[in-house]
Amino acid sequence: METRLQFLIDQARKEITEITSLNELQSRKSHYIGKKSPFTELMKQLKELPKEERPEFGKKINIAKNQLQLMITEKESSLKQLAYETSLSDNIVDITMPGRRRNKGALNPINKVWREIEDVFISMGFDVAEGYDIEDEFHNFDALNTPQDHPARDLSDTFYIDNNILLRTQTSTVQIRVMENHQPPIKIIAPGRCYRNDNDASHSPAFHQVEALVVDEGISFADLKDVLNLFVKRLFGQNIESRIRPHFFPFTEPSAEIDIVCLKCLGKGCNLCKGQGWIELGGAGMVDPNVFDKLGIDSEKYSGYAFGMGIDRVAMLKYKIPDMRMLFENDIRFLKQFK
Ligand code: PHE
């Protein structure tokens, strides 16, 4: 029986030392410590021994059992420690690796140009005024000296919301809003959204204009030309000349169209300027005295000029965008080119 005990102890020691997983340890533990363990069997066989040897041997079995228990507990904690360490080294985080970059958006070219235009005019002493996208016929047409039968009033050009209420077709409405509320001197620009029933590569039903209005004593056409020249050079470059051609607008007299030298061919003639060497930028003129009179501004004392141009058109020219619709699709691949 002595040899049997020694054999059991040696076998258990060897087995437990070789165990490499917690699961395995768990199952062997119940084998050695549980109710049906070989040690319990030995205990049962004690009665076969002579009476005086029984206590001594029983003690030996218990000691062996306790030692085994201790060994298992130690093994258990060393296996747990090992499992923890491997889990750390498996999920290692390399803090020196470069992070994933956020996908940053970019300003729409319209916003970029809008801000540039504002900056140029603010630097020349202009204030920025705002009007309303939804207007009435008075501010969009009547006050701007537009006759009742003017084609621009037509349903096919103007989006009407109600009888008298419409989406403004031009930022010139802000001229009226400002002059209703302020006496000269006035020196403002008014950038904003406008709406017309037009939709093709160079027209969008919702588009952007910027209006300028300067009213004071002794304002002349020369002032208009001077400011236009300065503005065009500041926005497009020192080598870009501008010119004005006679035109007609109901609310300015005389009226003119503003051209700039073609940005692509610099005047030689190309497909962008259709061989002209010049590109149309917007409209301008001296405020018609009729407009002043309707608003209670003394047209004998004051004179003024106004001009307006499409912000989207400026953006297309500056960034060589072939189709206006690209500006409104918000395709991230397109926008990212203007970072
Ligand atoms: N509002 C005019 C247009 O939309 C442009 C313009 C503005 C003309 C100011 C003269 C003066 O065509």
Side-chain angles (χ1 to χ4, degrees):
M1 221 177 265
E2 189 81 52
T3 20
R4 170 91 184 118
L5 179 62
Q6 197 50 53
F7 174 78
L8 265 179
I9 292 169
D10 291 346
Q11 196 194 28
R13 280 226 168 97
K14 188 166 174 278
E15 204 180 350
I16 287 162
T17 321
E18 282 168 3
I19 281 176
T20 53
S21 86
L22 274 170
N23 276 346
E24 203 182 341
L25 185 68
Q26 219 54 44
S27 68
R28 293 320 283 162
K29 181 180 171 179
S30 51
H31 169 77
Y32 284 116
I33 315 283
K35 274 188 184 137
K36 285 178 185 157
S37 87
F39 295 101
T40 323
E41 288 305 308
L42 268 185
M43 280 293 195
K44 283 180 189 158
Q45 290 165 20
L46 269 184
K47 54 182 180 294
E48 291 163 25
L49 285 177
K51 225 180 190 160
E52 58 285 5
E53 288 179 28
R54 282 181 206 165
E56 185 68 14
F57 198 70
K59 225 178 182 175
K60 276 185 183 167
I61 295 176
N62 274 331
I63 289 171
K65 213 177 147 184
N66 287 342
Q67 276 175 349
L68 205 63
Q69 172 78 60
L70 195 69
M71 204 179 158
I72 288 172
T73 316
E74 273 167 8
K75 183 78 184 184
E76 203 166 34
S77 76
S78 83
L79 281 178
K80 274 185 182 156
Q81 177 67 20
L82 193 71
Y84 172 65
E85 274 161 17
T86 38
S87 88
L88 279 189
S89 61
D90 282 355
N91 300 319
I92 202 155
V93 175
D94 181 356
I95 55 163
T96 65
M97 250 167 69
R100 220 169 276 149
R101 277 181 200 284
R102 287 263 185 94
N103 204 353
K104 263 210 231 152
L107 277 185
N108 187 297
I110 297 171
N111 292 81
K112 285 188 77 160
V113 167
W114 181 317
R115 291 180 189 186
E116 280 174 50
I117 293 175
E118 277 190 358
D119 286 348
V120 172
F121 280 113
I122 288 169
S123 79
M124 295 198 274
F126 284 75
D127 283 329
V128 179
E130 261 182 80
Y132 306 108
D133 286 27
I134 298 174
E135 267 293 3
D136 49 29
E137 279 194 273
F138 175 75
H139 290 89
N140 201 81
F141 294 125
D142 303 340
L144 287 161
N145 204 29
T146 312
Q148 278 300 329
D149 57 357
H150 194 282
R153 293 192 184 232
D154 206 310
L155 269 174
S156 63
D157 290 319
T158 305
F159 292 115
Y160 282 87
I161 292 174
D162 212 339
N163 223 343
N164 185 27
I165 307 296
L166 45 81
L167 295 176
R168 70 172 172 201
T169 61
Q170 49 189 349
T171 42
S172 301
T173 54
V174 190
Q175 288 187 32
I176 306 303
R177 295 253 167 222
V178 170
M179 287 191 279
E180 274 175 337
N181 297 313
H182 300 273
Q183 281 292 314
I186 292 169
K187 193 174 180 185
I188 57 106
I189 59 159
R193 194 167 279 184
C194 304
Y195 308 84
R196 280 180 210 177
N197 197 358
D198 247 342
N199 200 4
D200 58 44
S202 50
H203 295 92
S204 163
F207 59 101
H208 303 84
Q209 279 191 341
V210 57
E211 190 85 5
L213 174 70
V214 175
V215 184
D216 203 349
E217 287 178 50
I219 298 289
S220 74
F221 213 100
D223 297 313
L224 165 62
K225 278 197 73 169
D226 186 39
V227 165
L228 273 177
N229 252 328
L230 270 171
F231 165 71
V232 166
K233 284 183 186 294
R234 289 276 289 279
L235 195 69
F236 293 103
Q238 283 304 319
N239 58 337
I240 301 304
E241 301 295 333
S242 56
R243 70 172 188 190
I244 47 177
R245 282 179 290 111
H247 198 69
F248 174 80
F249 295 104
F251 45 94
T252 46
E253 184 57 36
S255 299
E257 265 190 327
I258 313 159
D259 290 342
I260 58 167
V261 164
C262 177
L263 301 175
K264 197 171 166 189
C265 64
L266 295 176
K268 287 190 208 79
C270 66
N271 58 341
L272 181 66
C273 59
K274 300 191 180 75
Q276 301 290 303
W278 295 89
I279 292 173
E280 194 190 309
L281 192 67
M286 300 304 291
V287 180
D288 194 309
N290 275 338
V291 175
F292 285 147
D293 292 345
K294 281 195 186 104
L295 299 167
I297 289 178
D298 184 351
S299 58
E300 294 294 325
K301 189 176 175 196
Y302 295 111
S303 57
Y305 65 78
F307 59 88
M309 69 191 76
I311 297 180
D312 321 274
R313 257 186 82 68
V314 172
M316 286 171 76
L317 288 172
K318 255 201 109 158
Y319 296 109
K320 302 187 171 57
I321 297 162
D323 190 319
M324 189 178 280
R325 289 167 286 205
M326 293 171 114
L327 291 170
F328 300 103
E329 281 164 354
N330 277 330
D331 185 329
I332 194 82
R333 293 164 301 181
F334 169 78
L335 294 177
K336 271 189 170 170
Q337 299 172 48
F338 304 98
K339 268 193 185 162

